[in-house]
Amino acid sequence: MLFSKRPIRGRVKTRLVPPLTAAEALALHRAFLVDGFARARSMIARGRAAEVCLDGPPALRGELRAAARHVPVTLQGEGDLGARLARAFARASEDGVERTIVVGADAPTLPDRLVETAYAALRDGADAVVVPSNDGGYVLVGASAAAPELFDGIPWGTPGVLEATRAAARRRRTSLVEIESWYDVDAASDLARLARDVADAASAARAPRTAALLRKLAPEW
């Protein structure tokens, strides 16, 4: 599952304003989402179930509407991020899914090898897996069953997310595997790293819409 906010101006990527304008921040979020739909399509092409899970009813137009073709779009529902993640994993488990991975839309260049490593950890017996992020959270979380204990009482939006998740796993004796870290794009300082990342051909291929927009917005980066 790709977890994402709906593309609404003034409600997405607000910590990037400045240096971006509100319109540019919205355009960047839309680019992340276009690339996220492409990632979901690639997973479907490889025989996996995949979906994009939004925080409210979508109003996908133009480029996004085209990108969403053949990709199921679902809703996260009410509550904080923990409640929405717990609901998503519970729904997958009820549907008979053996291993579920949720990736945040704010990590458009996340390498496929890390996704595959996460799946492998779950196949090898881990109860849960995360890809830690540079800001104290994580950009990917997976589980082999519904795991509400991983999402309860977590200080979302703070640098303490990962440590609180580790503590929750220890309390419930849930085996949690941490694999190689990656980064998400939340703050202005992340933009330079993203620009460097998409300058690499392999990363640009994973997130072509993002790469094209970054070249347009800040060619000097």
Side-chain angles (χ1 to χ4, degrees), residues 83-103:
R84 289 178 274 134
L85 283 169
R87 186 179 299 115
F89 278 95
R91 174 167 58 85
S93 183
E94 290 165 2
D95 288 344
V97 176
E98 293 181 1
R99 290 174 288 272
T100 301
I101 283 176
V102 172
V103 177

Side-chain angles (χ1 to χ4, degrees), residues 13-30:
K13 314 300 333 143
T14 55
R15 292 171 59 193
L16 301 181
V17 181
L20 301 183
T21 66
E24 290 170 340
L26 174 60
L28 186 64
H29 180 80
R30 288 174 64 87

Side-chain angles (χ1 to χ4, degrees), residues 127-128 147 149-150 168-176:
D127 295 322
E149 68 275 5
L150 292 179
R170 288 193 297 268
R171 285 195 302 272
R172 300 299 181 92
R173 297 186 179 180
T174 298
S175 60
L176 176 67

Side-chain angles (χ1 to χ4, degrees), residues 77-215:
E78 299 297 324
D80 67 4
L81 180 58
R84 289 178 274 134
L85 283 169
R87 186 179 299 115
F89 278 95
R91 174 167 58 85
S93 183
E94 290 165 2
D95 288 344
V97 176
E98 293 181 1
R99 290 174 288 272
T100 301
I101 283 176
V102 172
V103 177
D106 292 338
T109 61
L110 179 71
D112 283 350
R113 62 180 172 79
L114 294 184
V115 178
E116 296 304 324
T117 299
Y119 274 119
L122 296 175
R123 284 195 303 269
D124 290 343
D127 295 322
V129 60
V130 293
V131 172
S133 67
N134 56 320
D135 60 1
Y138 49 74
V139 301
L140 174 155
V141 59
S144 53
E149 68 275 5
L150 292 179
F151 311 116
D152 185 36
I154 306 299
W156 302 108
T158 75
V161 168
L162 182 57
E163 185 50 47
T165 302
R166 291 169 178 151
R170 288 193 297 268
R171 285 195 302 272
R172 300 299 181 92
R173 297 186 179 180
T174 298
S175 60
L176 176 67
V177 171
E178 297 180 31
I179 59 179
E180 180 185 343
S181 64
W182 198 247
Y183 72 101
D184 50 16
V185 183
D186 283 326
S189 59
D190 301 320
L191 285 173
R193 178 172 181 179
L194 178 63
R196 291 193 303 271
D197 197 5
V198 297
D200 172 75
S203 292
R206 287 194 297 274
R209 187 67 187 87
T210 299
L213 182 63
L214 261 289
R215 288 193 293 269

